[in-house]
Amino acid sequence: MDTTPAPTPTPRRKKLPIGLQSFRQIREDDHYYVDKTGLMLDLIESGKHYFMSRPRRFGKSLLLDTFKALFEGQRALFSGLAAETRWDWTRRYPVIRIDFGGGVLHDRAELDQRIDEILRDVQRELNLPEPTGYRSISGRLAELIRLARVQHGAPVVVLIDEYDKPILDNITDRETAAAMRDGLRNLYSVLKGADEHLKFVFITGVSKFSKVSLFSGLNNLFDITLEARWSALCGYTDDDLDTVFAPELPGLDREEIRRWYNGYNWGGTSVYNPFDALLLFKTREFKPYWFETGTPTFLIDMLTSRHWFTPDLSRTVATETLLSAFDVERIETEALLFQAGYLTIDSVWAIPGRKEYTLKYPNKEVQASLNDSLLRVLTGGSRISEPQVSRLYRVLQAQDVAALRELFHAFYASIPHDWYRSNDIAKYEGYYASVFYSHFAALGFDIRVEETTNHGRIDMAVEFGGAVWIFEFKVVELVPEGKALAQIKAKGYADQYRGRGEPIHLVGVEFSRDSRNIVGFETETWS
């Protein structure tokens, strides 16, 4: 008898669900679907009121639509999924879904009008009578929840998508953003008093406003944003790509996919942004798909106006409290970078009552695109920065040490003097080192920053093209001190790279604040 195991069948190709947020459409129209229903059931069985923030285009809306289909008992859509055999399909629950994802609201009046439209849609969908006697928004929602419980004979599910979008769309106008926050707080405050009528509540968005500012009184709202168990509730894992999307992988460099798009982490399993992965499978090209869908102008302006030292982007340290410090009147840079998806968790240090997170870029896409955008602001525009970045790639690829000095000189000589005079950002200590670092980071290189100071010194190692480059960049007053190369050796930064059989280039660069250019340049190559 032949006991050889049968070969595992190769999954067939399906449609790519690019931009789709409808669970029904994905399931009925033969699209790929990554089964999150097992995690969803675990969540439902673990509690009642949840909040989770994730960056844009991470599958939050699809998750909520799947919750809706589950609670409404649409069993046929869950055939073959984890929920099919675990869920009680004899029970159905009325679902109230509130979604602020569509359009931009410009003031409190438009917000109130939109909420009125949403509540009317809920009333029609659940076939509820008019909540007579209630004219306020909060009163109407509370009565709709009560009526839904009575009419359907089951507790109500409330799903809120893009809960923060009306605020974020107006974040540069503090007065309007505060008015939006107050209007939303009025709406969300209803959930506390309606608790006896509720089965499940899930609120999601991009940012993480404090409970005090937006969810006053909702003490039972459990924030799962940084809970390891739910880290992969949105996004695709490595295993998802290797199994569900196996038919799409041939012809693509699997390790390069990881470098470009994997790495988002909220304390547990790392995930890919679904939007990136799906567009890669469609176009077969590595490009910054997610980054290009929303240029972070507000973030770039904040980083430059606050004189953020760009080498610190790759190793920012923040407490859990700081990462949650986001409100109209107080937006911490680390919180914005993390919540918006430009930094992610690298490691966690914990003691009782306190957690400290080391953050990093999630992947090559974010590192390269964010620093490319920063360079345009730091140097006066893409006409200046982009040619220099391309030349740097070619110089390092050729390991042309002699050409580096001229290239470095060109980095700074190309910045017009008029730009220096009219921009305050060129006057802070870390400006020149930030420009230096961001040229390398914009290429997505593997960069290790050994030591930085906000006074403009940076020691870093770059691995590229079969070679290791060790740089020390420091700002001096007028004349070179001639110590940069000696300091690289004294610190022993190159020691860990010896024995690899690759050339190691040591480069000491000294920059004059007075002349705004290179005044010292020493190199040495170890083979």
Side-chain angles (χ1 to χ4, degrees):
M1 180 177 180
D2 186 4
T3 58
T4 304
T8 302
T10 302
R12 63 182 179 84
R13 299 189 73 173
K14 296 184 178 184
K15 297 177 182 178
L16 296 167
I18 299 172
L20 296 186
Q21 300 174 358
S22 167
F23 179 65
R24 174 178 292 278
Q25 184 178 356
I26 289 173
R27 296 293 287 163
E28 291 185 342
D29 202 21
D30 197 34
H31 290 84
Y32 289 109
Y33 177 70
V34 173
D35 187 3
K36 302 290 185 179
T37 63
L39 275 175
M40 293 166 60
L41 290 178
D42 292 342
L43 191 68
I44 294 168
E45 293 166 1
S46 301
K48 182 176 178 178
H49 304 83
Y50 293 103
F51 170 86
M52 182 182 72
S53 73
R54 287 293 185 267
R56 57 189 171 80
R57 294 189 176 272
F58 240 92
K60 300 185 296 294
S61 297
L62 173 60
L63 177 68
L64 262 63
D65 200 57
T66 310
F67 271 126
K68 185 173 188 291
L70 184 69
F71 281 108
E72 289 177 342
Q74 300 179 42
R75 183 172 185 170
L77 299 180
F78 293 85
S79 176
L81 302 181
E84 183 182 20
T85 58
R86 288 182 55 188
W87 187 248
D88 181 0
W89 298 105
T90 65
R91 299 292 306 273
R92 296 191 176 191
Y93 304 89
V95 178
I96 294 177
R97 181 170 181 179
I98 298 173
D99 185 358
F100 291 108
V104 176
L105 304 173
H106 299 93
D107 55 39
R108 175 67 183 272
E110 289 187 7
L111 173 63
D112 290 346
Q113 180 180 339
R114 177 66 185 129
I115 294 173
D116 177 73
E117 293 166 352
I118 291 172
L119 296 183
R120 291 184 184 280
D121 288 342
V122 168
Q123 182 185 340
R124 283 192 296 269
E125 185 174 342
L126 295 180
N127 195 27
L128 301 176
E130 182 72 25
T132 56
Y134 294 90
R135 301 184 62 182
S136 69
I137 286 173
S138 56
R140 288 177 58 205
L141 176 58
E143 181 62 3
L144 285 176
I145 292 173
R146 189 192 69 81
L147 289 171
R149 171 69 186 267
V150 172
Q151 183 155 321
H152 291 266
V156 180
V157 173
V158 177
L159 306 173
I160 302 177
D161 196 7
E162 303 281 8
Y163 86 99
D164 53 349
K165 188 173 184 294
I167 306 172
L168 297 181
D169 283 343
N170 296 278
I171 200 67
T172 57
D173 181 346
R174 182 174 293 184
E175 183 177 347
T176 301
M180 294 295 196
R181 178 195 59 197
D182 294 343
L184 292 171
R185 180 169 52 203
N186 178 52
L187 179 70
Y188 302 148
S189 65
V190 172
L191 298 176
K192 179 184 179 182
D195 190 62
E196 64 177 311
H197 303 301
L198 297 176
K199 166 68 176 177
F200 182 77
V201 175
F202 196 93
I203 302 173
T204 187
V206 171
S207 64
K208 183 183 173 184
F209 282 85
S210 69
K211 288 184 181 180
V212 173
S213 68
L214 205 51
F215 301 115
S216 181
L218 287 179
N219 299 322
N220 53 357
L221 187 64
F222 184 38
D223 181 5
I224 62 171
T225 300
L226 293 175
E227 291 292 317
R229 185 180 180 186
W230 315 114
S231 185
L233 188 58
C234 288
Y236 299 155
T237 66
D238 252 330
D239 185 61
D240 293 333
L241 260 66
D242 290 334
T243 54
V244 178
F245 295 101
E248 305 296 330
L249 296 178
L252 293 171
D253 185 327
R254 187 65 181 86
E255 188 55 38
E256 195 68 3
I257 298 175
R258 288 190 185 93
R259 289 188 65 239
W260 265 84
Y261 304 121
N262 194 15
Y264 295 94
N265 193 291
W266 288 273
T269 304
S270 292
V271 293
Y272 295 77
N273 181 301
F275 187 74
D276 275 325
L278 294 175
L279 280 175
L280 170 67
F281 295 148
K282 177 181 175 64
T283 66
R284 321 301 288 179
E285 290 184 61
F286 290 94
K287 295 175 65 177
Y289 301 107
W290 174 77
F291 194 93
E292 290 177 347
T293 61
T295 304
T297 305
F298 175 68
L299 172 63
I300 298 299
D301 290 345
M302 175 182 286
L303 289 172
T304 52
S305 66
R306 294 183 179 181
H307 298 169
W308 191 271
F309 193 47
T310 64
D312 286 342
L313 287 168
S314 63
R315 56 176 201 173
T316 297
V317 176
T319 63
E320 187 171 12
T321 302
L322 183 62
L323 292 184
S324 303
F326 193 97
D327 204 349
V328 173
E329 292 86 7
R330 178 181 171 226
I331 301 176
E332 296 291 349
T333 309
E334 294 88 345
L336 180 60
L337 284 163
F338 176 68
Q339 293 176 20
Y342 299 103
L343 294 181
T344 196
I345 294 174
D346 183 27
S347 61
V348 183
W349 176 81
I351 59 174
R354 181 181 179 88
K355 283 186 177 180
E356 195 171 86
Y357 296 90
T358 299
L359 307 180
K360 65 172 183 176
Y361 302 112
N363 48 45
K364 180 176 179 177
E365 176 196 17
V366 174
Q367 173 188 318
S369 300
L370 180 59
N371 279 278
D372 194 48
S373 294
L374 282 166
L375 272 179
R376 293 173 198 160
V377 177
L378 291 172
T379 60
S382 58
R383 182 183 61 82
I384 294 171
S385 64
E386 290 184 2
Q388 302 296 346
V389 172
S390 299
R391 289 171 192 146
L392 174 60
Y393 184 93
R394 291 192 289 268
V395 167
L396 294 181
Q397 188 177 44
Q399 297 190 41
D400 190 346
V401 180
L404 269 179
R405 188 188 194 286
E406 295 306 316
L407 183 65
F408 290 151
H409 196 278
F411 279 177
Y412 300 98
S414 61
I415 302 173
H417 286 284
D418 286 344
W419 187 90
Y420 279 115
R421 284 194 291 269
S422 61
N423 284 272
D424 286 339
I425 61 174
K427 298 173 185 175
Y428 78 99
E429 291 286 352
Y431 167 75
Y432 303 107
S434 290
V435 171
F436 179 83
Y437 165 84
S438 288
H439 274 86
F440 291 87
L443 288 167
F445 287 152
D446 183 4
I447 302 173
R448 177 177 296 176
V449 177
E450 301 288 354
E451 181 178 342
T452 66
T453 74
N454 59 7
H455 298 299
R457 176 181 168 189
I458 175 175
D459 298 300
M460 71 181 192
V462 178
E463 297 182 58
F464 174 70
V468 178
W469 301 79
I470 311 291
F471 295 96
E472 167 142 338
F473 180 95
K474 59 188 303 185
V475 177
V476 297
E477 290 299 329
L478 295 172
V479 296
E481 299 173 355
K483 299 177 181 178
L485 184 60
Q487 288 175 354
I488 293 177
K489 296 178 181 179
K491 294 286 186 180
Y493 291 145
D495 294 348
Q496 61 188 298
Y497 301 101
R498 291 191 171 191
R500 294 170 47 163
E502 296 177 337
I504 303 173
H505 305 291
L506 313 182
V507 183
V509 182
E510 293 176 294
F511 186 95
S512 168
R513 184 183 291 104
D514 183 61
S515 65
R516 301 194 188 103
N517 220 314
I518 304 295
V519 292
F521 188 87
E522 300 173 289
T523 67
E524 187 173 311
T525 297
W526 298 350
S527 54

